[in-house]
């Protein structure tokens, strides 16, 4: 889970899928302390946390070592000049390709419809395979065990009546990802 904040998704996934390892990554250690403490208290040996910048993640994983990447409520960075900072943008997708297995899955869960639309357009422009795409997660896929984990931000947005979007897609390693506008 990249940009894991309080680590709710990392802990939630680790508790549901005990045969897999999950790593929450964030630059702010004080935020993810809550998730790390919860994983420790729950005795989850398959949950870990790493304090680093996402740009440095290639130093921690070997090629093909990661099966899936979760982007849960990332800062949308919707100003055009901030596109290179979007965790679902070409710069980061090309970075993830260095350690994500070929055809590995990217999951994007967000309240920002613009980010969802941007990422969907990027997936389409680059010929990537969409696995799941919904504009109102809790209406369209209620009770899905993988998607029913709720973060602090998700709860906040749902209370405001903002629908949660979800997009998952395969990231191939064979070609560089380009911007949907370029």
């Amino acid at each position: 889970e990249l940009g894991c904040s309080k680590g709710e998704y990392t802990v939630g996934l680790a508790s549901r899928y005990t045969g897999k390892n999950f790593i929450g990554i964030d630059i702010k250690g004080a935020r993810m302390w809550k998730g790390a403490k919860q994983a420790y208290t729950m005795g989850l040996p398959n949950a870990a946390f790493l304090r680093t910048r996402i740009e440095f993640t290639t130093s921690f994983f070997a090629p093909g070592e990661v099966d899936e990447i979760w982007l849960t409520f990332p800062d949308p960075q919707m100003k055009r000049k901030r596109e290179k900072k979007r965790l679902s943008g070409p710069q980061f997708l090309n970075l993830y390709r260095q350690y994500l297995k070929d055809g590995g899955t990217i999951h994007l869960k967000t309240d920002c419809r613009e980010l969802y639309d941007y990422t969907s357009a990027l997936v389409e422009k680059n010929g990537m395979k969409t696995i799941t795409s919904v504009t109102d997660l809790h209406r369209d896929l209620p009770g899905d065990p993988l998607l029913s984990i709720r973060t602090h931000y998700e709860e906040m947005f749902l209370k405001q009546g903002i629908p949660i979007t979800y997009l998952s897609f395969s990231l191939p390693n064979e070609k560089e990802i380009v911007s949907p506008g370029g």
Side-chain angles (χ1 to χ4, degrees):
E1 180 186 10
L2 300 178
C4 73
S5 188
K6 297 179 183 182
E8 298 103 334
Y9 238 85
T10 301
V11 171
L13 289 169
S15 66
R16 284 178 170 90
Y17 303 96
T18 57
K20 288 185 171 185
N21 293 323
F22 298 92
I23 301 172
I25 299 173
D26 205 299
I27 188 62
K28 297 190 177 174
R31 281 199 295 210
M32 67 179 163
W33 177 85
K34 182 179 180 182
K37 183 179 177 190
Q38 186 178 14
Y40 177 78
T41 302
M42 293 173 68
L44 296 174
N46 61 328
F49 290 86
L50 177 63
R51 182 178 180 262
T52 190
R53 295 177 60 86
I54 293 170
E55 296 87 359
F56 300 153
T57 52
T58 55
S59 299
F60 297 94
F61 302 104
E65 185 175 6
V66 175
D67 294 328
E68 300 179 24
I69 292 175
W70 284 84
L71 305 173
T72 53
F73 301 90
D75 184 337
Q77 308 282 358
M78 291 317 300
K79 291 184 180 176
R80 181 136 176 91
K81 65 182 181 178
R82 309 260 315 161
E83 180 180 21
K84 66 183 178 189
K85 295 195 175 272
R86 287 182 207 144
L87 295 184
S88 64
Q91 182 170 326
F92 280 101
L93 291 179
N94 286 314
L95 179 92
Y96 308 152
R97 288 173 47 233
Q98 295 179 48
Y99 52 83
L100 186 68
K101 73 177 183 181
D102 188 26
T105 304
I106 303 286
H107 301 268
L108 172 66
K109 197 174 181 187
T110 182
D111 63 299
C112 181
R113 180 62 189 258
E114 268 185 286
L115 180 62
Y116 167 85
D117 290 341
Y118 164 86
T119 307
S120 294
L122 185 136
V123 167
E124 185 176 333
K125 171 157 182 140
N126 287 278
M128 293 182 270
K129 179 185 172 210
T130 298
I131 300 167
T132 304
S133 178
V134 293
T135 57
D136 190 338
L137 175 63
H138 297 289
R139 179 194 69 207
D140 299 338
L141 297 173
D144 183 302
L146 193 61
L147 301 171
S148 64
I149 300 164
R150 293 188 181 182
T151 70
H152 165 77
Y153 291 107
E154 184 168 3
E155 290 290 352
M156 185 175 72
F157 297 129
L158 287 170
K159 284 178 185 170
Q160 295 174 25
I162 299 170
I164 305 304
T165 63
Y166 172 71
L167 175 67
S168 61
F169 57 95
S170 295
L171 184 63
N173 289 343
E174 75 263 3
K175 66 177 185 163
E176 187 166 334
I177 306 303
V178 296
S179 173

